[in-house]
Amino acid sequence: MSTGKWNGTLLAFTVAAITATAAPASAEAYALYRGMTTTLPAGAVSWVAANFGVSGSPPMLTFFHFASDDAARLAMPSAQCIVKVDIGAVVNPSPGATAQIGDADIQVNAAHADQPLAFPWTATFDNNPAGHWAIAKTVLVSPTSNAAASRVAAAGFKSLATAPGSGVTVINGRYPNCTVD
């Protein structure tokens, strides 16, 4: 057999083997990220309104999607720690896409005076700027102030981060030992 024919046969066999054994593509978990500051000791996320500022017009709490934890760290180099929210298998969302965060079985644990609304909360993708998702103030609280909505968001995300299986975790930012408390 000539070398050219042998190489062609080997190539055809290799392509056929790869095609036959390749697993179908599946959507992986899609995550949203928000940078956090910490309290002492360094690495314990500070669950305060300042880390969950609800602002803008209309008022909202902002998150961003990045392809991986490492990409989030690169995009947010000043974040001491990062709250990561897995929202399931999302593939190429279009503006207007939504995702549910939290579960009705998990308590928000915010002050009653702040008028918190129960989980799940809805995050909406607007991609403005790129990768931007937001939770509207009206999803977090009954009509009240942005400050109250920020306190509710802080309390709610702490509740989610401490609830097994909620999809909310804390990952390292520029600090190597980030924890929930």
Side-chain angles (χ1 to χ4, degrees):
M1 180 182 271
S2 73
T3 304
K5 196 170 192 179
W6 169 248
N7 286 340
T9 303
L10 181 60
L11 177 61
F13 175 76
T14 303
V15 169
I18 290 170
T19 303
T21 60
S26 62
E28 295 189 25
Y30 187 97
L32 308 179
Y33 298 88
R34 183 171 179 88
M36 298 283 115
T37 58
T38 63
T39 58
L40 295 177
V45 168
S46 183
W47 300 100
V48 296
N51 269 337
F52 293 89
V54 173
S55 62
S57 182
M60 64 185 81
L61 177 64
T62 294
F63 286 86
F64 285 91
H65 167 69
F66 298 102
S68 67
D69 294 355
D70 287 337
R73 287 182 195 98
L74 285 172
M76 298 184 285
S78 63
Q80 295 170 347
C81 296
I82 299 170
V83 169
K84 176 181 178 179
V85 182
D86 287 318
I87 58 172
V90 175
V91 180
N92 299 322
S94 296
T98 62
Q100 299 300 302
I101 297 174
D103 182 306
D105 294 335
I106 301 171
Q107 294 295 314
V108 174
N109 293 323
H112 180 70
D114 286 333
Q115 302 178 47
L117 296 176
F119 293 123
W121 292 338
T122 302
T124 303
F125 179 64
D126 67 12
N127 204 36
N128 185 17
H132 183 257
W133 287 74
I135 301 173
K137 174 180 138 179
T138 56
V139 171
L140 300 167
V141 293
S142 293
T144 189
S145 69
N146 289 355
S150 299
R151 290 189 297 270
V152 167
F157 277 97
K158 181 178 183 180
S159 295
L160 292 171
T162 57
S166 73
V168 176
T169 55
V170 172
I171 64 169
N172 293 337
R174 70 175 202 219
Y175 287 175
N177 58 339
C178 291
T179 62
V180 171
D181 280 321

